[in-house]
Amino acid sequence: MLEDQVGHLIRRAHQRHTALFLAMIGDAQVTTTQYAALVKLYEMGELSQNHLGRLTAMDPATIQGVIRRLTARKLISHRPDKNDKRRRCLSLTPAGRELVARLVANGPKVTQATLDPLSPDEQRQFLALLKRLT
């Protein structure tokens, strides 16, 4: 049955998590992939687009779209790498830093809401199993 297939269950869990994320993160325009990019830049500082894509597990087309939308919102800026003109170096703008500082506190709340149906032991086990799958 479809309801017993792992891909279907993961997709449904992802839909639930995404709905909670959009309701709770604190900015209705920020998607989960944009949040990942913003937080990683906040944590690490300037990164190349390629490196940011690898750190956030996004393929080149996805990270390019994320960067384009965040740049349009003036949340990140980019400049050519002085050693490799084909490479773009990305960093948060002051507005991007301010937004991430506000949103980052909501990330753990979204995680907790996503995991709420599970007991604390089940939550730890579930997270450990997900990490093994990825």
Side-chain angles (χ1 to χ4, degrees), residues 55-82:
L55 290 172
T56 56
M58 290 184 228
D59 61 68
T62 301
I63 194 65
Q64 185 177 33
V66 166
I67 297 310
R68 187 174 47 252
R69 287 183 286 283
L70 293 174
T71 300
R73 284 190 66 192
K74 298 185 178 5
L75 298 174
I76 63 168
S77 62
H78 55 86
R79 66 168 181 78
D81 185 311
K82 54 187 156 204

Side-chain angles (χ1 to χ4, degrees), residues 41 44-48 51 77-79 89-92:
L41 284 169
M44 300 193 71
E46 187 175 73
L47 295 168
S48 73
H51 192 194
S77 62
H78 55 86
R79 66 168 181 78
C89 295
L90 309 170
S91 58
L92 292 174

Side-chain angles (χ1 to χ4, degrees), residues 25 35 39 42-43 98-109:
I25 201 60
Y35 178 79
V39 170
Y42 188 77
E43 292 173 346
E98 183 181 311
L99 177 65
V100 177
R102 261 191 311 110
L103 300 184
V104 75
N106 294 330
K109 295 173 188 173

